[in-house]
Amino acid sequence: MSLLSGCNRPISDANKLAAIRAGAQALMKKYPAERPKNWRKISKGKWPAAIADLYPEDVTVHTWGVDITTKAYFDGGYGYDVPVSKANLPMPAACYSEPSRGVFWHGPC
């Protein structure tokens, strides 16, 4: 298990993180969350390059922001959340680190 979790870490390249944030913001504008379910799965062919380069398992636009799941796990998995506002993050604050302004990394929580 520790070997698997060792591969799931946030990137630290500031330019890549800024591109992920910009890509997530573009997805929110182009593919807003559907009502009444308040989310929308984004198919692989529609992912911006910076997000596709993460090789995510899933990308979902929610009313609160974008969830980029890089490794699914029963308790939230690993990935990035790009919220409209930090206050809108869906998991407790202790579950996140912020490798770049507006881009949050989480593991299972």
Side-chain angles (χ1 to χ4, degrees):
M1 182 67 176
S2 63
L3 180 61
L4 287 175
S5 64
C7 298
N8 293 297
R9 296 179 188 201
I11 60 173
S12 58
D13 183 292
N15 292 327
K16 288 181 182 179
L17 289 162
I20 290 166
R21 189 172 95 243
Q25 290 170 340
L27 287 176
M28 286 185 271
K29 287 180 184 175
K30 191 167 184 176
Y31 307 105
E34 296 174 326
R35 302 285 181 190
K37 55 187 177 179
N38 295 326
W39 56 270
R40 178 187 296 212
K41 296 276 186 193
I42 307 301
S43 62
K44 186 176 183 177
K46 296 177 181 175
W47 297 344
I51 292 174
D53 287 349
L54 297 170
Y55 302 102
E57 292 184 11
D58 184 67
V59 177
T60 306
V61 173
H62 297 269
T63 54
W64 58 262
V66 177
D67 180 43
I68 304 163
T69 304
T70 57
K71 180 68 178 164
Y73 194 68
F74 75 94
D75 197 11
Y78 296 88
Y80 298 88
D81 284 345
V82 181
V84 174
S85 165
K86 185 175 182 175
N88 293 348
L89 287 168
M91 295 190 290
C95 298
Y96 292 100
S97 65
E98 190 174 8
S100 180
R101 183 180 59 84
V103 180
F104 297 84
W105 168 259
H106 67 83
C109 188

